Amino acid sequence: MVSSGSTETAESDAPSARIRLRSWLLEDVNAEKPAQRSAVEGAPEESPEGAGAAAGDSAAHAGQRWWRVMCLTGLDYFSTLGYQPGIAALAAGVLSPIATIVLVVVTLLGALPVYRRVAKESPHGEGSIAMLERLLSFWKGKLFVLALLGFAATDFLITITLSAADASAHLVENPHLTSLLGNKQVLITMIMIALLGAVFLKGFSEAIGLAVLLVGTYLVLNVVVVAVGLWKIIEAPHVVTDWTDALTAQHGNPIIMVGVALVTFPKLALGLSGFETGVAVMPHIKGGPDDTEANPAGRIRGTRKLLTTSAVIMSCFLIATSFITTLLIPADQFKAGGEANGRALAYLAHEYLGGTFGSVYDLSTIAILWFAGASAMAGMLNLLPRYLPRYGMAPHWARAVRPMVIVLTLIGFLVTWIFDADVDAQGGAYATGVLVLISSAAIAVTIAAYRKRERGWTIAFAVISAIFLYTTVLNCLERPDGLKIGACFIAGIILVSLLSRLRRAFELRVTNVAMDDVAERFIRDYAHRPLRLIANEPSNRDIAEYRDKIRQIRADNDIPGEDDLVFVEVTVRDASDFEAELTVRGEVLHGRYRVLTLESSSIPNALAALALNIRDRTGQQPHLYFEWTEGSPFAQFLRFFLFGQGEVAPVTREVLREAEPDRSRRPRVHVG
């Protein structure tokens, strides 16, 4: 008896544990369900204006000061100091400081103005992708956005894996730990990625406070290293002479030096990595008291301060660190296997400030590089759920943070394993993602300025776009592996997206049903009798069309002459849209025919949503009447999937079946 009871308890606890796990994983999605359900059922909802005002009121008091959020995006941007000087030295040699100055000029005069404009045009964290999305419609727009999301995923995900790999390199190459941790860099990198994922699974509320601590400590330590490095150069002025002699011997005159620096610039593009993250974290910035969702002016000002301040700080550090590392570190130490490979500033910290300070610097670098993935993870979690579920190209759980964190963490493991946790090997993919996003942002703001007839800004942004496009093409030609990896991400996103869209093809995707006064009056007239709706594809809309249609429907379905019939006509706007609000308008044509007109991305979905809404309003089950469509069922399904039309009757019935499991409450579908 005891044994049996224990077995029953264990069996009952197992489903309960699964339910609790599912609820925990989908916690933020489950919180949305009541609002979504009321929208489909037609319950009163707050107007968009009211919702925006409410959001604006809360936005004025929520969020963080811009300088604190700057530390969040600075995890990505400032942490590149851990490897950028070494990459610059490998790419440009003795020309590294001049090439870095070119990078700083492009940063301050190119990327910064572009993203200050992006912050104004797209203030809700979608970045330049949202600006470009508005330029294109239908499937070409969706596929274009998916391609940009592929490059964004390349940028953000490689940020996680590359930063974790460099953090593990600093750990493994620390003089005190080399013997213990040697040849375990892949394992250590995966552990760091797993720990980052665990932070997001637990919750990210304290991340900004931790980011302020990590970034503040790291910048202070770098100031110390830079100051000591400059002092060493002052003490030994011959290193400057040796450097200038090497420059002259290798490159001749300043014009050639600048030309070579421009050619090597694409290899230094990692120094631009923080801008897309800067606009992705905009929702975390505290707005002003007068901010609204439509015009968050305070948030935009804060973001511009964030972008400008971080760009100036990073520019100063890039020039200074490139100068001291080039002059003080032997060239051989930058190469693979050298003590400064991927950790030039850490090399100087150990060399001139001793093992204790060097280990503290290593620890700070490891911490910020590990947590640099946090800003990238936050960017992806802000970006991907804004597009894929809205396109119907992701399952419902993709809106939830925790399942997405698990998926992204597993992909991070795969990327780390493929690249063997090699920082240099991932640099090409990282630079490609960064440059494609910056180029798309530059093109987006150019188009925005052109449409607003801002001639000066249009020319300036067009020149900046040309520079970044040149840099992107050159980078792809020199390091095609980055383009290949980006293409793999794009192919993966498009494949998963289309399969998800196909799987959700029969899902009810109307977010709300709104009726005008005439349509409301039509529905009220049928509060005590069934409403019979004729699905009609409008042609000339003359009296003969409606008269003949009624005669045919009555004959095919044996409807008594005394029963009233109401026409329903759906116009497809953009069949590539997935979720949308349904607006129903009523009109009386030719003095006798009642017609409900709808605009939607899918005829079957619109009809199913209307029928369910009428049922909930009147308590009566409406009847829908269709004609069979001529043609192949498979061809008709493709028409439905791509263009929202096709064989309407069976698809409408299937949408109703999935939306309403109770057959006794399901609206009736008749086909003749």
Side-chain angles (χ1 to χ4, degrees):
M1 293 292 290
V2 174
S3 173
S4 175
S6 300
T7 303
E8 291 175 1
T9 302
E11 290 175 352
S12 62
D13 284 347
S16 177
R18 287 196 296 270
I19 292 172
R20 286 196 299 270
L21 176 61
R22 179 181 175 84
S23 298
W24 178 75
L25 286 171
L26 304 179
E27 183 178 357
D28 42 345
V29 171
N30 292 336
E32 297 176 0
K33 283 187 176 180
Q36 292 174 343
R37 184 165 57 247
S38 66
V40 173
E41 293 174 357
E45 281 200 322
E46 187 177 15
S47 67
E49 294 81 1
D57 292 341
S58 62
H61 303 286
Q64 301 279 343
R65 299 289 296 275
W66 67 267
W67 60 270
R68 290 174 62 84
V69 181
M70 182 187 73
C71 292
L72 178 62
T73 184
L75 292 168
D76 175 16
Y77 196 20
F78 299 144
S79 68
T80 57
L81 290 172
Y83 46 82
Q84 180 73 13
I87 291 176
L90 283 174
V94 294
L95 202 61
S96 173
I98 297 175
T100 301
I101 291 173
V102 172
L103 171 65
V104 167
V105 171
V106 174
T107 297
L108 297 179
L109 301 183
L112 180 57
V114 164
Y115 277 95
R116 283 173 60 89
R117 182 64 177 252
V118 170
K120 178 183 177 182
E121 299 284 346
S122 180
H124 303 296
E126 301 98 328
S128 58
I129 296 177
M131 298 174 64
L132 292 170
E133 180 191 27
R134 294 194 288 266
L135 301 177
L136 299 171
S137 60
F138 207 60
W139 284 105
K140 58 185 178 183
K142 303 296 185 294
L143 293 174
F144 180 68
V145 169
L146 291 179
L148 287 180
L149 287 176
F151 283 112
T154 303
D155 178 7
F156 290 145
L157 196 64
I158 298 294
T159 296
I160 295 172
T161 59
L162 184 146
S163 298
D166 198 44
S168 64
H170 278 76
L171 191 63
V172 169
E173 294 173 16
N174 182 282
H176 304 293
L177 299 173
T178 301
S179 58
L180 179 65
L181 301 177
N183 300 320
K184 297 180 181 177
Q185 190 168 341
V186 173
L187 176 61
I188 295 171
T189 302
M190 288 187 175
I191 291 173
M192 288 185 173
I193 294 172
L195 289 174
L196 180 68
V199 171
F200 278 85
L201 290 176
K202 175 66 177 175
F204 200 49
S205 58
E206 305 301 325
I208 291 182
L210 181 57
V212 172
L213 176 63
L214 292 177
V215 169
T217 303
Y218 184 66
L219 292 182
V220 168
L221 292 174
N222 273 288
V223 168
V224 174
V225 174
V226 169
V228 170
L230 292 174
W231 179 251
K232 292 297 180 182
I233 291 173
I234 293 172
E235 286 187 330
H238 66 87
V239 296
V240 177
T241 305
D242 293 343
W243 174 62
T244 54
D245 290 343
L247 274 178
T248 305
Q250 292 185 24
H251 303 290
N253 60 66
I255 296 177
I256 296 176
M257 294 178 193
V258 174
V260 175
L262 289 172
V263 172
T264 59
F265 166 69
K267 297 178 181 179
L268 278 63
L270 297 183
L272 297 167
S273 65
F275 285 98
E276 194 70 29
T277 312
V279 293
V281 299
M282 278 188 73
H284 295 287
I285 297 176
K286 184 177 182 179
D290 299 325
D291 277 13
T292 64
E293 195 68 13
N295 183 29
R299 182 191 297 170
I300 293 171
R301 285 194 301 271
T303 304
R304 287 180 160 185
K305 291 177 183 177
L306 178 156
L307 293 169
T308 303
T309 305
S310 59
V312 171
I313 292 173
M314 189 62 175
S315 296
C316 293
F317 270 113
L318 284 174
I319 293 173
T321 56
S322 174
F323 183 69
I324 64 173
T325 53
T326 302
L327 270 63
L328 296 177
I329 300 176
D332 291 343
Q333 296 296 334
F334 289 110
K335 298 178 181 178
E339 294 182 20
N341 181 251
R343 55 189 302 274
L345 293 176
Y347 175 91
L348 291 180
H350 281 276
E351 182 74 15
Y352 295 116
L353 292 162
T356 302
F357 183 90
S359 294
V360 171
Y361 184 87
D362 279 338
L363 181 62
S364 175
T365 305
I366 290 165
I368 194 173
L369 284 169
W370 164 67
F371 212 52
S375 59
M377 183 78 81
M380 281 192 289
L381 294 176
N382 180 59
L383 200 62
L384 295 178
R386 288 179 180 267
Y387 291 97
L388 297 183
R390 179 159 56 88
Y391 291 173
M393 293 179 171
H396 284 297
W397 57 258
R399 297 181 187 270
V401 169
R402 290 182 177 121
M404 286 294 293
V405 169
I406 293 172
V407 170
L408 294 173
T409 301
L410 292 175
I411 296 175
F413 289 163
L414 178 62
V415 172
T416 298
W417 176 70
I418 291 174
F419 284 103
D420 200 29
D422 189 327
V423 175
D424 296 331
Q426 298 178 69
Y430 191 17
T432 300
V434 169
L435 288 170
V436 168
L437 291 179
I438 293 181
S439 299
S440 66
I443 293 170
V445 299
T446 303
I447 296 171
Y450 174 77
R451 289 186 169 183
K452 293 183 179 180
R453 302 183 185 279
E454 299 171 350
R455 189 168 183 271
W457 279 116
T458 301
I459 295 172
F461 286 138
V463 172
I464 294 171
S465 299
I467 292 172
F468 283 123
L469 285 172
Y470 152 79
T471 307
T472 303
V473 171
L474 201 61
N475 178 76
C476 292
L477 292 175
E478 291 185 358
R479 294 187 285 183
D481 55 316
L483 188 60
K484 293 174 184 176
I485 294 165
C488 290
F489 274 104
I490 293 170
I493 286 178
I494 290 178
L495 178 62
V496 172
S497 297
L498 292 179
L499 289 176
S500 177
R501 176 96 179 208
L502 190 63
R503 182 175 177 272
R504 299 177 64 187
F506 302 113
E507 183 179 307
L508 186 66
R509 31 183 151 130
V510 173
T511 57
N512 185 47
V513 178
M515 297 190 179
D516 68 3
D517 293 338
V518 178
E520 289 271 12
R521 190 166 62 249
F522 287 176
I523 303 306
R524 283 198 303 270
D525 288 347
Y526 292 90
H528 302 291
R529 53 185 173 136
L531 174 59
R532 302 184 185 277
L533 301 169
I534 299 177
N536 181 54
E537 184 176 356
S539 179
N540 298 324
R541 305 194 83 196
D542 56 15
I543 191 170
E545 177 182 336
Y546 294 102
R547 182 185 63 234
D548 295 344
K549 186 77 172 183
I550 283 183
R551 184 181 300 145
Q552 177 189 341
I553 291 296
R554 288 191 187 278
D556 289 345
N557 297 276
D558 196 23
I559 301 174
E562 63 272 14
D563 285 7
D564 290 338
L565 298 173
V566 176
F567 289 93
V568 184
E569 299 176 346
V570 183
T571 302
V572 175
R573 298 190 306 268
D574 184 348
S576 65
D577 287 341
F578 192 75
E579 295 180 343
E581 180 178 296
L582 188 65
T583 301
V584 185
R585 297 179 177 84
E587 56 183 323
V588 178
L589 295 181
H590 310 296
R592 65 172 73 177
Y593 300 115
R594 293 183 174 187
V595 182
L596 296 174
T597 60
L598 298 75
E599 288 187 351
S600 177
S601 60
S602 166
I603 294 176
N605 246 278
L607 294 173
L610 175 64
L612 290 170
N613 186 268
I614 291 172
R615 181 205 64 184
D616 295 334
R617 287 172 181 266
T618 65
Q620 300 286 332
Q621 288 178 283
H623 294 251
L624 288 164
Y625 294 91
F626 299 90
E627 292 180 57
W628 287 114
T629 304
E630 299 293 330
S632 163
F634 181 73
Q636 296 297 338
F637 174 74
L638 287 180
R639 284 187 64 210
F640 160 70
F641 181 72
L642 295 174
F643 306 113
Q645 301 178 26
E647 183 56 270
V648 176
V651 176
T652 303
R653 194 263 176 190
E654 183 61 21
V655 173
L656 286 169
R657 189 185 68 82
E658 288 202 7
E660 178 52 78
D662 187 349
R663 189 170 184 173
S664 64
R665 300 190 70 244
R666 196 181 300 155
R668 304 293 190 252
V669 175
H670 308 268
V671 189

